[in-house]
Amino acid sequence: MDYLKSLGYFVLAGIFEIGGGYLIWLWLREGKGLHYAIIGAVVLVLYGVIPTLQPASFGRVYAAYGGVFIALSLLWGWAIEGVIPDHFDLIGGAIALIGVGVIMYAPR
């Protein structure tokens, strides 16, 4: 159960980080209103809080989170922007997720 809770925190953090960054992207790159930037900034602050719920140390959590971020970013691009990941994207994402497993969940 602890593994599922930890993975849930990673996914939630990823959604907040990518979502907040995407709102900033839309404001700066797509000319959306200032409210996109404000909401994006609030979401990014919330993203910063979520990893503190993880049971591991800061360095380990953020190192592992990088792999989750890679995989979720590819999924976001596919779902939101319609950019289908190619086989190199999928291989890289899989390698990153294997790294998450080793860093966070390998027996010590």
Side-chain angles (χ1 to χ4, degrees):
M1 187 60 175
D2 288 335
Y3 294 119
L4 292 177
K5 192 175 184 181
S6 174
L7 288 171
Y9 290 143
F10 277 136
V11 170
L12 189 61
I15 291 169
F16 275 66
E17 182 182 16
I18 297 165
Y22 188 66
L23 290 170
I24 300 293
W25 177 281
L26 291 174
W27 169 58
L28 289 173
R29 299 271 308 249
E30 307 291 329
K32 300 290 185 180
L34 182 61
H35 62 286
Y36 278 74
I38 294 168
I39 295 168
V42 169
V43 170
L44 286 169
V45 167
L46 293 173
Y47 147 71
V49 172
I50 295 166
T52 67
L53 303 173
Q54 292 283 7
S57 68
F58 177 86
R60 185 169 288 148
V61 167
Y62 274 83
Y65 172 68
V68 174
F69 179 82
I70 289 167
L72 289 176
S73 294
L74 293 169
L75 289 174
W76 184 281
W78 187 10
I80 303 299
E81 296 185 302
V83 177
I84 300 171
D86 64 23
H87 65 281
F88 292 110
D89 294 328
L90 297 175
I91 292 167
I95 291 169
L97 290 176
I98 290 168
V100 172
V102 171
I103 292 168
M104 283 295 291
Y105 308 118
R108 301 235 185 296

